[in-house]
Amino acid sequence: GMVVYADTDLKYDKPQVAIQLDRDKAAALGIDMRGVGDALGLMLGGNYVNRFDIEGRSYKVIPQAQRQYRLNPSDLDAYYISTGSGDLVPLSTLVTTKMTVEPQQLNRFQQLNSAIISAVPAPGVSMGDALGFMEQLAQEIFPRGYAIDYAGESRQYIQEGSAFVWTFFFAILIIFLVLAAQFESFRDPCIMLITVPLSISGALIFLNIGFATINIYTQVGLITLIGLISKHGILIVQFANQLQEEEGLDKREAVEKAAGIRLRPILMTTAAMAVGVFPLLLASGAGAASRFDIGLVITTGMTFGTLFTLFVVPTIYLYLAESKTRSVDKLARARSAE
């Protein structure tokens, strides 16, 4: 139930005849293994031993049994081989044939013999779940000495899947440090970046429903959301701080007025980004799945993140933001004292 289709390139579909030689009987008749090999190679091999000329043209001399006597394995019974005394005995007295099946080709991966298994995850099954199922199954059925490796998109997912967590962490850390340096505060960046988990949650809702899976494309979309959605918090917090410092408003009045004034640029930014990536949701043809995944994450993350931003950021601002009016009053008293 994890995949809808699976196939392997290791296909045992090439018939082959295995010849088993009675070495004891051959030794009793004075026949060595080289003689048996030469006889079979002469009648079945098709190699030329010489050339001859006719009317100025060169032709190969190919000793070989006629085609009608080498079509079936049972034709080996009609072949004869010389014994040590010079007598001819049928080859069937020394050999027995057995039908076997061999692969058409033996592939290699990472310089090792390998069989590649290709599968398509079922709808609603993420690549991580499908690969986890494969790994568990491999541990149960693989013989000792066998290993599993990845190719294509699976290899990219395994190599970069763990890197996404670190990339996400460092992206938030860098943005936090830049905002802390710009606003000279560690409180304000925390308020601004509260929009990041809100937008990520909005995007993950549709991923959990089954519209897309966690893959390299959705991960890129989630990283992109960090920079896009943090702008909303910056607009509100920065303007609210200015209102406190310049107009002497308290935190509640300042953030309410800032949210109202900054509503239009916030909605315009969200609408412009959502409309800009909306064509990705309607993509078709080669690469449509990857474009859909990126467009879905950005559209849903921006939409839901904006809705949360308008109500959550002002609330967090009331609890975490520093009151600028107190600083202004202290500065005014200090100047008057001077």
Side-chain angles (χ1 to χ4, degrees):
M2 303 295 291
V3 299
V4 294
Y5 170 80
D7 191 19
T8 177
D9 65 345
L10 184 61
K11 302 181 185 299
Y12 288 83
D13 53 2
K14 182 179 181 180
Q16 182 172 315
V17 178
I19 298 178
Q20 297 177 346
L21 179 64
D22 190 338
R23 298 177 179 269
D24 296 334
K25 187 181 292 187
L29 294 175
I31 302 174
D32 58 3
M33 299 301 102
R34 180 177 180 180
V36 176
D38 291 342
L40 291 175
L42 184 65
M43 291 180 283
L44 301 174
N47 296 322
Y48 74 96
V49 296
N50 204 346
R51 289 177 178 271
F52 68 97
D53 296 332
I54 296 180
E55 297 180 355
R57 292 181 177 272
S58 178
Y59 297 90
K60 293 180 179 180
V61 178
I62 302 175
Q64 187 182 45
Q66 295 184 16
R67 179 177 175 81
Q68 58 181 338
Y69 298 116
R70 51 185 172 85
L71 292 177
N72 300 309
S74 59
D75 293 334
L76 292 175
D77 299 338
Y79 296 168
Y80 286 81
I81 188 172
S82 297
T83 63
S85 60
D87 299 329
L88 294 176
V89 296
L91 191 61
S92 60
T93 61
L94 299 176
V95 301
T96 57
T97 59
K98 180 182 178 181
M99 292 297 299
T100 60
V101 181
E102 295 292 333
Q104 288 282 358
Q105 59 182 1
L106 294 175
N107 298 314
R108 297 175 69 84
F109 183 78
Q110 300 285 16
Q111 300 181 354
L112 297 174
N113 294 329
S114 64
I116 298 178
I117 300 175
S118 304
V120 178
V125 178
S126 65
M127 183 177 294
D129 294 338
L131 293 179
F133 172 77
M134 288 285 293
E135 293 176 355
Q136 180 181 0
L137 197 62
Q139 294 177 358
E140 298 175 358
I141 66 176
F142 274 13
R144 178 177 297 179
Y146 280 67
I148 186 173
D149 205 342
Y150 303 92
E153 190 175 346
S154 301
R155 188 178 187 87
Q156 187 179 36
Y157 177 84
I158 292 296
Q159 291 179 347
E160 300 182 6
S162 57
F164 168 73
V165 179
W166 293 103
T167 304
F168 191 87
F169 172 77
F170 280 113
I172 295 180
L173 179 61
I174 291 174
I175 294 177
F176 177 83
L177 295 177
V178 170
L179 293 176
Q182 180 179 356
F183 289 91
E184 299 180 353
S185 171
F186 289 107
R187 294 184 179 184
D188 292 344
C190 293
I191 302 172
M192 300 171 186
L193 293 180
I194 197 64
T195 57
V196 174
L198 300 178
S199 63
I200 298 297
S201 301
L204 292 179
I205 292 176
F206 288 85
L207 297 184
N208 291 328
I209 294 176
F211 286 92
T213 60
I214 299 293
N215 51 51
I216 185 64
Y217 304 107
T218 53
Q219 291 176 3
V220 170
L222 294 176
I223 295 295
T224 306
L225 278 178
I226 299 177
L228 294 176
I229 201 66
S230 58
K231 180 181 178 182
H232 295 350
I234 296 174
L235 291 175
I236 295 178
V237 174
Q238 181 183 17
F239 198 69
N241 290 341
Q242 292 179 357
L243 292 177
Q244 289 193 68
E245 295 175 353
E246 297 176 0
E247 300 183 11
L249 301 179
D250 59 14
K251 289 195 299 184
R252 184 183 182 90
E253 294 176 345
V255 74
E256 288 179 353
K257 188 174 181 180
I261 296 176
R262 292 299 191 180
L263 176 62
R264 187 176 67 174
I266 290 175
L267 295 181
M268 290 178 62
T269 302
T270 302
M273 196 63 208
V275 173
V277 300
F278 184 77
L280 299 179
L281 302 177
L282 307 177
S284 60
S290 59
R291 295 196 293 270
F292 175 83
D293 292 345
I294 295 178
L296 178 67
V297 170
I298 295 179
T299 303
T300 56
M302 286 293 294
T303 304
F304 282 86
T306 301
L307 295 177
F308 288 131
T309 299
L310 297 176
F311 300 98
V312 177
V313 171
T315 304
I316 301 299
Y317 184 87
L318 293 177
Y319 287 97
L320 297 182
E322 181 182 1
S323 179
K324 304 295 182 179
T325 55
R326 300 174 184 174
S327 301
V328 173
D329 294 341
K330 292 181 180 179
L331 182 61
R333 287 195 298 268
R335 290 180 178 178
S336 60
E338 292 177 357

